[in-house]
Amino acid sequence: MADYEGIDFLAVGSLPAPRVTTADAERIARDEFGLHVSALSLGSQQDANFLLTETDGTVVGVLRIANPAFTHAEIDAQDAAAERIAEREPDIRVATLVHRDGVPLAATVETPDGPARARVLRFLEGGTLSTKGYLSPSTMASLGDLAGRSSRALVDFDHPGLNRRLQWDLQHSNEVVAHLIGHVSDPGRRERVAEAAASAWLAVLPVAGRLPRQAMHHDVADTNVTCRTANGIVTPDGILDFGDLTHSWAVGDLVVAIASVLHHPGLEPASVLPAVLAFHAVRPLSSDEVAALWPLVVVRAAVCVMSSEQQVTLDVNNHYALEAMAEEWAMFEAATEVPTAVMTALIRERLGLAGPARAEALEEGLLRGLVASEIEVLDLGWDSELMDRGSWLEPHAEESLAAAALASGAAAVVTRFAQPLLTASRAMATASPATVSTGVDLWVGEPTHLVAPWPGDVVSLDDGFELRGVDFTLAVTGASLAGHAGTRQINRGDDLATMSAGARVHLSLRMVDAPRVPALVRPEYAPGWLALVADPSPLLGLSTSHDTRNDDLLHRRDHSVASVQEHYYDSPPRIERGWRHHLLDTEARAYLDMVNNVAVLGHAHPSVADAAGRQLNRLNTNSRFNYGALVELAERLAALAPDPLDTVFLVNSGSEAADLALRLTLAATGRHDVLAVGEAYHGWTYLSDAVSTSTADNPDALSTRPEWVHVLDSPNSYRGTYRGAESWRYAHDAVQMIDALAAGGTPPATLIAEAFYGNAGGVALPDGYLSAVYSAVRRHGGLVIADEVQVGYGRLGRWFWGFEQQGVVPDVIAVAKAMGNGHPLGAVITSRDVAERYRTQGYFFSSTGGSPASSVVGLAVLDALRDEGLQANAAGVGEHLRRRLLALAERHPLIGAVHGEGLYLGVELVRDRVTLEPATEETYAICDRMLELGVVVQPTSDRMCVLKIKPPLCLDEAAADFFVDTLDRVLSEGW
Ligand code: PMP
């Protein structure tokens, strides 16, 4: 112990936990501190911890018997550091020393392993982060923030007890590895750990001398961080166990924090980036610290697995250590999943720090005899027309597109560098597929010589060769290469190999010191990989192209679009393409679209696109001209409506349709009063908004409706005033209200209601509700409107219109959304009589309502709905989906109910199945997690606690299963 006053792990060699039983703990508490408590062992790797509880259940604190190897000064330092953090960061809960009557509960006690310090420390409620399963980006950010603030609080902390050498101290990890590696029993694993630790250490060495040092907790790990959980959202806000307090590289606090969570379900290296960003915001990282960060994560993981293996052999009964070992291996696997150079470059990019200077200038002339103008660039990105009509899903799409380009005269075909390739996308994948190209693919029409663009060494690979130069290594891989065997030195202009006609090779250009780079990488890691490579296109005489269009779109949106015109998600992906029930972002990630009732047929439906395209080439004008499509569409809609609804108005949206429907009824009756139901949305125009009562869309809706709007109690049979068998009372109360209005001299002109309660989350109205209410309104001379904007048009499966479910016929139907498959199109369908009475208001004109283009789209939608049997599909797949969701509800108490019919379903999430407390925050968080796993789903209802499920009607069973399985995973793993 020459250099260290405290523990020197490398001198001691091992630290088995002190042998103290719960009976010993209770005795210590009584004899030393006068506490009459029961003790519960909490487990620890190198100390002994017991939760002390009084007979009435009051928790006194945690009795911690430190390892006898630690000195008094070391323990004092830990308590002083805890106090320091508690003082400087009052928002952080800290496991400080408990005092009774001003006296600290600390004493030296005898253990079978010698005298040890025993203290009672503050117990932090809420459980530790280690038990929380999946951790969301915001939880991760809180963890980074916590580590950063702890580090900041201790920056000037000093104490003699810091003079110690722990096995955890990253400064000593190279020696610790040498010391412990023998404990890894499996030789293969031993070699991997040793190798990973050694190469990570090599990356640390150049900056080691410049890494800032300070006093630090050095174990802000998931097991030592306690959480506050409010509304299902986990926030780390407490720190315990200062046993590893030391003076070391400050970055270590972040290293330990992020390494500790890598084994959590659903997490991967990129998941910890929010923690890094949050730490950096509190306690900025230097460039050297960034260089050391991920290598130290690998080193930390290596030390953890070795220590666990050692601890398990030391003490076969230490279950805590045994359990920890599996997690530590998972941590090691995750830490080494992506090369450290990639992680470092990725972290630099995310922190906005410049990377090391890199060579760029490249010579052209790789292909002998080919000039750039003869080479066709194959665009496989999101906005390429080649990707239309779902071609990205076809097997070998790239091959056939390249072959077609060669056949039509190109001498060579080349893909784009750094482009997310749609052809590499996969529908329904919970992890983003590797889509971003790190090189280019090349096809040639005729046999072509590849020549060396610079002098260097040629080395054969299994599937090609590499040319190693001064700055870059050019890797050429592919099946049809000839003449490259062996290792040799080569001059500029020498032959490298020959490509045969039609053959495909992959060209990749990486920095000489970079690891081998896969041809495609996942978008989350792309900035990291792309920092290690260069665009090979200049070798072919082509200019470099790096798409940066994504960079600030949301920022631009925030500046140019009114913020009240909101978007889905706080951090939405950029969605630029759709196909059937899939949406694609610009990184070529496919999402299952469970929310898009607008795209009823599916996205980018060919017949709709063709119809619109043909019409736009021919004529598009306002609807006062006489042309066929408008008439045909009106005839088709009238034919779909029950008698006597035979007259159609064409408009552009649901709001307009609802607005016009209301105007028609006001005009026809000459009255002013309107009935609406609670929890409903009908649009944003003055009139449709006046009858909208949903507090989710407008929190003040109920208190600000005009006096002529009379709101019926929301007939929600799941959670409204009347539930289940009592739900018939809604109709009874509504009829009374209508009678009272009439008796009071204000009989309603109309009632507007969704015929199936869409905005409440797909809840069917109580049986007989509309029949009773319609009759009452009509009895007093009023008319009734069915708002079918959301639920109509076949979505309910069993019925084309929602009102059919209630066995009623309205006087006016308002319809939109599905009508145009996303193209703005709406309609009002009513009787000739009601329509004619609008004359009192002048005449009706909507410039583009029913324009030629809109009308042909409307017709194409109706044709496809019929020809593709989509209503029947909604019934079949919807029933399958509903059954599976009901089965899920049996296993997950959070699901309070599954509402709906066909492909209009709602999964209502509640915190308690008796009180029905809405799980609003959980619903939002679940939607965010579902997005990460490749599913677009959103909350609805006044309480925003219902997952609204209204996908394109082409949804198939496989997609329905993917949705349910993914939801199951989220509900099981956490969100
Ligand atoms: N009615 C209902 C029932 C709706 O759900 C909506 C839109 N959510 C509208 C009307 C208004 O339709 P749009 O957004 O097309 O104006």
Side-chain angles (χ1 to χ4, degrees), residues 181-362:
I181 189 71
H183 292 287
V184 180
S185 44
D186 177 81
R189 280 182 148 188
R190 187 162 60 233
E191 197 179 324
R192 272 204 305 130
V193 174
E195 244 177 54
S199 70
W201 191 248
L202 278 182
V204 176
L205 276 181
V207 295
R210 298 194 298 265
L211 294 177
R213 293 156 203 253
Q214 67 168 76
M216 59 198 296
H217 182 285
H218 215 315
D219 202 11
V220 189
D222 64 344
T223 43
N224 293 332
V225 167
T226 54
C227 304
R228 184 165 34 88
T229 303
N231 303 329
I233 311 298
V234 174
T235 311
D237 72 338
I239 303 183
L240 44 87
D241 193 349
F242 283 69
D244 294 343
L245 184 83
T246 194
H247 191 274
S248 181
W249 290 330
V251 70
D253 269 336
L254 178 59
V255 168
V256 171
I258 60 181
S260 77
V261 293
L262 283 174
H263 69 272
H264 282 239
L267 299 191
E268 54 175 301
S271 315
V272 304
L273 291 171
V276 179
L277 286 166
F279 185 97
H280 185 65
V282 175
R283 193 304 203 166
L285 294 162
S286 70
S287 180
D288 292 326
E289 287 180 311
V290 173
L293 180 59
W294 203 265
L296 287 175
V297 167
V298 173
V299 169
R300 164 79 183 182
V303 171
C304 285
V305 288
M306 291 183 296
S307 299
S308 264
E309 297 253 357
Q310 181 199 28
Q311 213 69 28
V312 168
T313 46
L314 279 181
D315 179 359
V316 280
N317 296 322
N318 191 336
H319 296 289
Y320 179 83
L322 257 179
E323 272 172 37
M325 193 163 81
E327 289 178 355
E328 268 141 16
W329 275 109
M331 176 208 294
F332 176 78
E333 299 299 344
T336 51
E337 191 180 310
V338 179
T340 52
V342 174
M343 287 307 294
T344 302
L346 180 64
I347 292 166
R348 271 194 203 291
E349 199 260 359
R350 291 295 297 273
L351 296 182
L353 302 174
R358 43 179 291 170
E360 279 298 352
L362 293 169

Side-chain angles (χ1 to χ4, degrees), residues 653-655 681-683 754 759 787 789-790 817:
S653 69
S655 300
Y681 179 79
H682 297 289
E754 277 192 283
N759 275 304
D787 182 338
V789 171
Q790 281 220 86
K817 295 207 195 235

Side-chain angles (χ1 to χ4, degrees), residues 379-418:
D379 184 354
L380 303 173
W382 57 267
D383 56 349
S384 165
E385 284 180 20
L386 297 174
M387 297 295 97
D388 288 355
R389 316 242 146 158
S391 71
W392 54 277
L393 276 173
E394 279 161 26
H396 314 299
E398 296 158 16
E399 289 297 343
S400 32
L401 290 166
L406 291 177
S408 55
V413 177
V414 67
T415 56
R416 283 203 176 145
F417 170 71

